[in-house]
Amino acid sequence: MVRISPSILSADFANLEAELKSISSADLIHVDVMDGHFVPNLTIGLPVVKRISEVTNVPLDVHLMIENPELWAAKYAQFAHSVTFHFEAAKDALATITSIKAAGAKAAMAIKPATSFEDFQHLCGDLDMLLVMTVEPGFGGQSLIEGALEKVTKARSFADDKGLSLSIQVDGGVTVGNIASIAKAGADTFVAGTAVFEAKDRNLRIEELRALAITL
Ligand code: DX5
Ligand code: ZN
């Protein structure tokens, strides 16, 4: 199933409720939580994510770019459909996955462009979703790193061979021009910040992205 998850990192944070209404046809809303340590940028935390969850009916897809995710992931899971932590930040990835699931959300793990598939493949069986970063995490509006898509292909065939129901998400530099090839590589869930929020009619852009991802 193809899902489009607009990243509100590109939204107007002074008008978030209106911005959320403008993407009502999204499958998920991607919320980037950054701590200024794991990544150089700083965004929003738990109280803001809680309020966002109260003013939209679209399920939240929370992407934690923070150190010590094991201390926070379950707290975000109360307000989210899925919680994604970074493999590179986790002291105990399996315990973090378990804590997200126990709190009632889907458990997802993100990997930076330089992390290789062999480093984390043993965790794929425990995950609901894998997030392959196609930019260095921290900022919106960057260009997709083509080389990172190889991990999407590897993860897709690994999951299919093992019969795992693993969703694969791609985040960073997704555009109308490249979403079809990302889908071909094996992704089913697409984060799009700039590509959605730059559009005059964001719901129309979401439909356009979804249609391009479905047409294989
Ligand atoms: C980057 C964030 C992304 C970002 C994507 O660290 O994780 O979710 O908002 O923005 P675009 O789609 O503009 O690359
Ligand atoms: Zn993100």
Side-chain angles (χ1 to χ4, degrees), residues 7 30 32 63 65 131 133 171 191:
S7 164
H30 187 82
D32 289 303
H63 178 191
M65 284 161 276
L131 168 48
M133 290 298 301
D171 182 8
V191 178

Side-chain angles (χ1 to χ4, degrees), residues 7-10 30 32 34 39 63 65 131 133 135-143 171-174 191-195:
S7 164
I8 57 166
L9 189 60
S10 297
H30 187 82
D32 289 303
M34 304 185 188
V39 289
H63 178 191
M65 284 161 276
L131 168 48
M133 290 298 301
V135 297
E136 282 302 328
F139 300 93
Q142 305 180 73
S143 301
D171 182 8
V174 174
V191 178
T194 310

Side-chain angles (χ1 to χ4, degrees), residues 125-164:
D126 296 294
L127 290 169
D128 294 305
M129 183 168 77
L130 178 70
L131 168 48
V132 176
M133 290 298 301
T134 42
V135 297
E136 282 302 328
F139 300 93
Q142 305 180 73
S143 301
L144 176 131
I145 300 165
E146 288 279 341
L149 291 178
E150 198 191 312
K151 271 179 287 188
V152 174
T153 313
K154 279 191 184 175
R156 183 75 277 150
S157 57
F158 179 86
D160 290 350
D161 286 353
K162 296 247 183 301
L164 308 173

Side-chain angles (χ1 to χ4, degrees), residues 63-116:
H63 178 191
L64 299 177
M65 284 161 276
I66 63 171
E67 288 179 353
N68 302 312
E70 45 284 325
L71 301 181
W72 293 96
K75 298 190 204 297
Y76 284 93
Q78 300 173 72
F79 312 114
H81 164 80
S82 56
V83 175
T84 304
F85 65 95
H86 266 266
F87 172 66
E88 301 85 0
K91 289 188 187 77
D92 187 340
L94 202 51
T96 311
I97 293 166
T98 306
S99 76
I100 295 168
K101 288 183 175 171
K106 302 279 184 197
M109 189 175 76
I111 45 162
K112 298 211 277 185
T115 303
S116 60

